[in-house]
Each structure stands twice: as structure tokens, then as C-alpha cells.
Amino acid sequence: MSLPVTNSLHTEEDTPKVAILVETTIPPVSRANLRMYWLARALRAEGAVLANMVAPSQDLSSRRSYFTEGIWMNQYPGFGRQLYGRFRLPVRIWHFLASILSVVLLELTYRRGGARGFCAVHAWNPLAGMAAVVAGALIRRPVFLDFTDFYSDIARTDMPLLAKPLVWLENLVLSRARRVFVVSESMREHLVSRKGLDPDKVVVVPDGTDAQTFRPGLDGGAVRRKLGLSEDTPLIVFHGDIKHDDGVDVLMRALALVLKSRPDARLLVLGGGGPYFQNEIRPLVESLGIAHAVLTPGWIPHQEVPAYLNACDIGAMTMRATLNHDNYLSFKLFEYWGCGLPVVVTRLKAIGRIVRDGENGLVCASEDAPAYAAAFLRLMADRETARRLGAAGRELVERQFDWRMIMKAEVAQYTPEVLELSRR
């Protein structure tokens, strides 16, 4: 698998290509692209293939192709800015169709130019996965799927009308993929026992983080000054999207209990801002009388997140125990740990195999606000325990959960047999 790494279209004629379908532009601004971005980087580092990332532009008027970090980026006219807005369903349907067309046109371009084409189509999540299945059938190439979440389970509370169609979509994509990459052994067990997948086709490749970017020692003091906080203010952080199953309402109730003992404590919410946050969480915050203690700067640029996390004392993951949460891993866990934060998490199957209560984090029962509050207060009072737990998490990230190591397992699936498909 030792092929030369290529950096321009003028030197890649004899190099196999892989089409990687993603949801938003590169560099990534959200979890939707981060895993695939690191896959593309790993493919480039190994010299196995040229990664063609296929993604929507931010708005319909822009369409361009360019190299970034050795990755050949192909943006089709899209509506990336509206991906999570009111019209997200028609937007995603358009992106679904446009990504299929883009893969087919790229393959035709390679063939007409006498270059080796795609050896596989690789995608993340069910909708992009379905686009990969269709595109793969049209160009007669295998599909690799990163299946990190049960979106049908997420839709159960967020978009109930789509829950059953998503189950059908997940089953179809899983059955058609040559390789399915999952993030935990419990997810693999579920797909084999409940979905009937061949155990040999399901490969565990966990989520992780960039340990060089998410690291301790960054200037959190500047962030605290920006937020108007003193160095001594106890600061809990929740980072990421906010949906019902994320248990942010439970976190708010836990915060209200914490404030009874530590009125100086604060909660930083990085992310959120969607309809659920505005319609459910903000009214709850007001009714609990804790608005003064909740800081909501909203989404910030991804490259600024590590400094914000370094400004915090505790990472919170008060998720509800659901089918999806029991089987998946969360980026925020590894980002908290990467920055050396102690974490307070829900007792879940997959995460429970990584977070050990009292060893590298504190674990509470789902929806148990008093238990979460007690854990937060314990870490605020016992700084040595907080430091020890955070350091243990950081060591685990360095050893097992850095993207640079993790993605080698996916690259290994691009065997010589798969690479040779690009000659057909």
C-alpha cells in the first residue's frame, strides 16, 4: 500500500482515488466533517490514495475545487449555511442529489483523462451514506460507511415523523456497505445481533480528538476576562449541539442545586442555539432563576474551542441513556480530556468502558440531577482529585484517542485489492 503521496492534479494520474462525502465545507466547522477530515489526512499521510472530499458550498452561488492540506476539495453549489436551519430537509435532499452527481462527474473526468478513478466511495451518516450507495452503484465501486450514531433514535424526539424512515434508510445503507466502521464494541455487537450484519464487515474505530490542538496550557485566562469571570470562579462547560437527549435540561437543574452551595459557580454553554435550546432550555433557565449563572456565547470557531475549554474547570456530559447514547462515543469527552479537564458523565454502555468512576472521571445515573450536582461540587471542593482525573483523561487521549493513531485502522481497509478497483 505504499503509493506516492500526490499534491496536485498534475501528478496523480496513476494514484487511486477515494470519494469522501461530507456535509459541510472544509476545514471542518462541526462534528459532521471532523472524522472524515481526519480520514482524508490519514489517507494522504499513508500515501494510499488521493482523497476527493465532496461537499456543499456555503451558498448556491459559490462552487469551486481546491487543494487544502493535500486533500482535493470539490464543492458543489449548495446551501451549507442552511444545513441546520428551518429548511434543512429540502437542503439535505439537494445535497444528496448533488453529491451523487459530483461523484459520477469526477469519475467520468478521471476516465476521460486517462487517470485512475475511484476505488471506493466513503461517507459518514445515513443520508451521506445513501448518496454513497447510489453513487457507488452508478460507478460500480464499493462503499465504506462510518456509522457513528443511530440517527433514527435521535429523530425519535427531534423529528418523530422521520424516525421510521430513518430506520429503513440505516438498514439499507448498512446492508449495502462493504465495510461499516463503528465507534464502540457495543455498537458492533448491536449491529451484528440486531441488524444481522456479518461480523467481519463491522470494524471498531473509535472517535477521538486532535491531542495537539486540544491540550492543556492554553491561555484560558484571556477567555475568562472576555467572559467577565475571575480566576477563582468555578466554571462548568457543556460543548456541542443541544437536543433533548443531550440532557441539558438535567444539567440546568443540577446547576440550580450547585448554586445553593456555590453561588459563585457558572456554566458555559458552547453551542446550542437551535429551536430546542431557544424553546425549551432558555425558558427553563428563567424559571429556575439561574440566568445570571449561564453563559451562552453560542457557536464559536472550532480553532477557538481549546482556549475556551482551558478556561473551564469541569466538563459536563449529562446525556440521557438512549439507544444511541448507549452505543456511541462523544467528541466532547475527548476534547474535555484533551484539555485536561475532569469530566462528569452519564453511566452508559460504550462510554462506561472508557470512563472509570473515580479513575478518570465521575459517573452518574441518567437524569439524576442531585447526583450530577454532588459530583460538580466534589470537584470544585477537591482540586487535587479534579487535577488527577483530568490528567488521567489526558493520558488516555494521548495513548489511544488521537485522530492520527485512530484513523490508521480505517486506512488499513484500503487493501491492494480495493486500490486495484480504481483501474476498472
Side-chain angles (χ1 to χ4, degrees):
M1 265 179 78
S2 179
L3 293 174
V5 177
T6 60
N7 290 303
S8 74
L9 278 179
H10 302 293
T11 59
E12 52 71 46
E13 286 82 359
D14 197 45
T15 303
K17 290 84 178 173
V18 58
I20 303 178
L21 306 188
V22 293
E23 290 187 332
T24 59
T25 53
I26 293 291
V29 296
S30 68
R31 184 175 185 231
N33 276 4
L34 203 54
R35 186 178 171 99
M36 294 294 91
Y37 164 74
W38 281 101
L39 169 63
R41 287 191 58 172
L43 287 166
R44 177 186 181 276
E46 294 293 327
V49 300
L50 175 67
N52 285 82
M53 299 200 79
V54 179
S57 58
Q58 288 293 310
D59 53 75
L60 192 62
S61 61
S62 63
R63 179 187 183 279
R64 64 193 183 108
S65 296
Y66 58 93
F67 268 100
T68 177
E69 302 180 45
I71 303 166
W72 185 232
M73 192 66 214
N74 302 271
Q75 286 187 356
Y76 55 80
F79 301 90
R81 297 183 193 279
Q82 287 77 43
L83 188 63
Y84 298 102
R86 179 181 302 177
F87 303 106
R88 58 184 174 180
L89 184 57
V91 165
R92 289 177 188 232
I93 291 173
W94 164 245
H95 290 180
F96 167 78
L97 296 172
S99 59
I100 295 169
L101 181 61
S102 296
V103 171
V104 173
L105 291 177
L106 282 167
E107 176 68 11
L108 290 175
T109 300
Y110 283 130
R111 290 184 183 182
R112 288 176 180 175
R116 292 176 69 172
F118 293 123
C119 63
V121 185
H122 203 131
W124 174 85
N125 100 6
L127 191 59
M130 188 64 204
V133 166
V134 175
L138 291 173
I139 66 172
R140 303 169 75 178
R141 294 294 182 270
V143 171
F144 289 177
L145 174 70
D146 279 57
F147 191 84
T148 64
D149 301 83
F150 288 96
Y151 270 80
S152 58
D153 189 59
I154 297 173
R156 177 180 44 79
T157 53
D158 287 3
M159 299 175 289
L161 292 179
L162 293 180
K164 288 186 177 180
L166 276 173
V167 170
W168 174 85
L169 182 64
E170 287 175 349
N171 291 341
L172 178 61
V173 173
L174 288 168
S175 67
R176 298 298 177 88
R178 174 178 290 197
R179 285 288 181 273
V180 177
F181 300 100
V182 297
V183 296
S184 70
E185 191 60 43
S186 60
M187 183 175 282
R188 180 178 183 273
E189 292 165 359
H190 184 93
L191 294 185
V192 171
S193 63
R194 301 292 183 87
K195 301 286 189 180
L197 295 192
D198 182 345
D200 291 337
K201 101 176 202 177
V202 186
V203 181
V204 178
V205 180
D207 278 334
T209 192
D210 177 3
Q212 296 179 13
T213 299
F214 287 86
R215 66 185 193 276
L218 301 178
D219 187 10
V223 173
R224 281 185 172 253
R225 290 189 293 273
K226 181 178 180 180
L227 296 173
L229 302 175
S230 72
E231 293 182 2
D232 298 327
T233 301
L235 186 59
I236 305 166
V237 62
F238 175 91
H239 173 220
D241 201 3
I242 294 179
K243 303 176 292 295
H244 174 267
D245 290 348
D246 292 309
V248 176
D249 57 325
V250 181
L251 176 58
M252 296 304 174
R253 293 187 175 91
L255 177 64
L257 296 174
V258 167
L259 291 172
K260 293 179 180 179
S261 298
R262 292 296 301 263
D264 58 334
R266 297 293 182 267
L267 170 66
L268 175 64
V269 178
L270 293 180
Y276 176 77
F277 183 78
Q278 298 298 334
N279 299 334
E280 302 292 335
I281 300 302
R282 284 199 181 279
L284 176 62
V285 168
E286 294 295 334
S287 67
L288 291 171
I290 60 173
H292 67 284
V294 180
L295 310 175
T296 56
W299 292 104
I300 61 173
H302 187 73
Q303 64 270 21
E304 296 180 19
V305 174
Y308 273 81
L309 295 185
N310 269 264
C312 301
D313 299 302
I314 304 167
M317 293 175 55
T318 53
M319 302 175 295
R320 286 181 163 85
T322 64
L323 169 66
N324 184 55
H325 284 163
D326 257 337
N327 291 281
Y328 96 137
L329 299 181
S330 173
F331 279 25
K332 67 172 69 67
L333 170 63
F334 304 113
E335 292 173 350
Y336 293 159
W337 269 347
C339 293
L341 294 185
V343 298
V344 176
V345 306
T346 303
R347 184 175 293 112
L348 300 164
K349 286 183 182 178
I351 290 175
R353 297 182 181 182
I354 299 172
V355 183
R356 304 290 184 173
D357 190 39
E359 294 182 17
N360 53 24
L362 298 181
V363 181
C364 303
S366 175
E367 302 187 60
D368 190 343
Y372 291 120
F376 294 141
L377 288 169
R378 175 184 172 187
L379 294 175
M380 290 175 191
D382 188 347
R383 293 300 180 92
E384 175 54 31
T385 294
R387 186 208 62 78
R388 176 177 59 82
L389 297 179
R394 170 67 191 181
E395 189 275 333
L396 193 58
V397 165
E398 291 177 341
R399 180 161 42 89
Q400 295 185 29
F401 297 105
D402 188 292
W403 284 125
R404 293 166 185 82
M405 295 179 292
I406 290 170
M407 279 298 149
K408 290 182 180 180
E410 291 205 20
V411 174
Q413 296 297 318
Y414 283 85
T415 61
E417 175 192 5
V418 172
L419 300 182
E420 278 302 305
L421 296 175
S422 63
R423 295 187 185 278
R424 293 184 180 178

